[in-house]
Amino acid sequence: MLRLIVNADDLGLTNGVNRAILQAHRDGIVTSATLMANAPAFDEAVAAVLTSPAYQAKQLGIGCHVVLIDGVPLSPSEQIRTLLGGRSPAPHFRKKLWKFALAAVAGRISTDEVELEATAQIRKLQKAGIELSHVDCHKHTHMFPRVLEGVLRAAQATGVKAIRNPFEPAFARNIPSADRTRARETAILERLWGKNFGSAVAKHGLSTTDGSLGVTATGTLTTEQFSNIIRNLPESGTYEFVCHPGFYDADLASAGTRLLESRQVELDLLCSSSARDQLRSSQVNLVNFRDVVSATESNPAVVHPMP
């Protein structure tokens, strides 16, 4: 069986992102979303999720989008010093992924501090009443082993049973319309840390997928790229398609994200008949992370009907 989770990141970022993600589930192919605990529209996102019939019916999975870069921490700054990038106007994380990556590779990121902050973010969602289906990290920072260990510890301690596999398989990045430079970068990251990811996840008793799709295409996703990725899927396995739908408005323009017009493009694609037709023709079964956990625990997996 070929199963696909379509996960929308950045729930809670803005009102427009919140509305777009719920629309992309209601009218499109999104089956899962990850909520940012420290985002401006967090309270609004929680209210929308808790009143959503799809969430109540477990057709829409909600995970925690752990933010360790380009945001404000929940933990006291003196307890997470290796995660901080400055104090102006208040303590905040590093703003650039490359700076975080250098610190992580050099061993300057504390696994204990990652665990502390990830736990705080997960607990905030749980305290708000969200039953979490999984956890992932903003900009895939849990690809770095020291970060991964901290996030896995936090997930295990808080009862979260699944985590995103941030590594993109070769069949998804080596498509005709792919950005070759970004595809090579993604391949290097997979070679460095992808091989040990599964064993680390299993050690902590969590479930995961066979990989993430759409990583190379983030910010540039087109109908052609989506079709190429889906056509290249193997006959079996479980994968996650990572997407970022949103309405491009004043709030988004001031949110500090590089993904602006592309969010509207992705929303239109996710709600299109062509996307649904492509999934049908490739015999893709839409699921969410709850179903991945159920399958891992040897229970029958729920396959959600194509919208």
Side-chain angles (χ1 to χ4, degrees), residues 140-146 148 152 163-170 173 185-202 208-212:
H140 312 291
T141 53
H142 64 298
M143 73 176 69
F144 303 107
R146 295 175 69 90
L148 175 62
L152 287 171
I163 188 170
R164 168 181 291 169
N165 179 343
F167 298 102
E168 189 169 33
R173 61 178 184 260
E185 292 171 349
T186 305
I188 291 171
L189 295 173
E190 195 278 333
R191 286 197 298 270
L192 286 173
W193 300 299
K195 292 181 180 179
N196 296 324
F197 178 83
S199 59
V201 171
T208 192
T209 68
D210 295 308
S212 286

Side-chain angles (χ1 to χ4, degrees), residues 123-142:
R123 292 290 190 202
K124 182 176 178 180
L125 271 63
Q126 292 174 329
K127 186 177 179 179
I130 302 293
E131 183 180 345
L132 295 175
S133 59
H134 70 293
V135 65
D136 60 32
C137 282
H138 184 47
K139 299 189 178 178
H140 312 291
T141 53
H142 64 298

Side-chain angles (χ1 to χ4, degrees), residues 40-77:
F42 171 82
D43 291 336
E44 175 192 285
V46 168
V49 166
L50 292 179
T51 57
S52 166
Y55 167 76
Q56 295 169 359
K58 302 187 186 304
Q59 294 174 343
L60 175 64
I62 300 294
C64 180
H65 198 49
V66 175
V67 176
L68 301 172
I69 181 175
D70 195 22
V72 178
L74 299 184
S75 305
S77 58

Side-chain angles (χ1 to χ4, degrees), residues 292-301:
V292 174
V293 173
S294 295
T296 303
E297 295 175 347
S298 300
N299 292 326

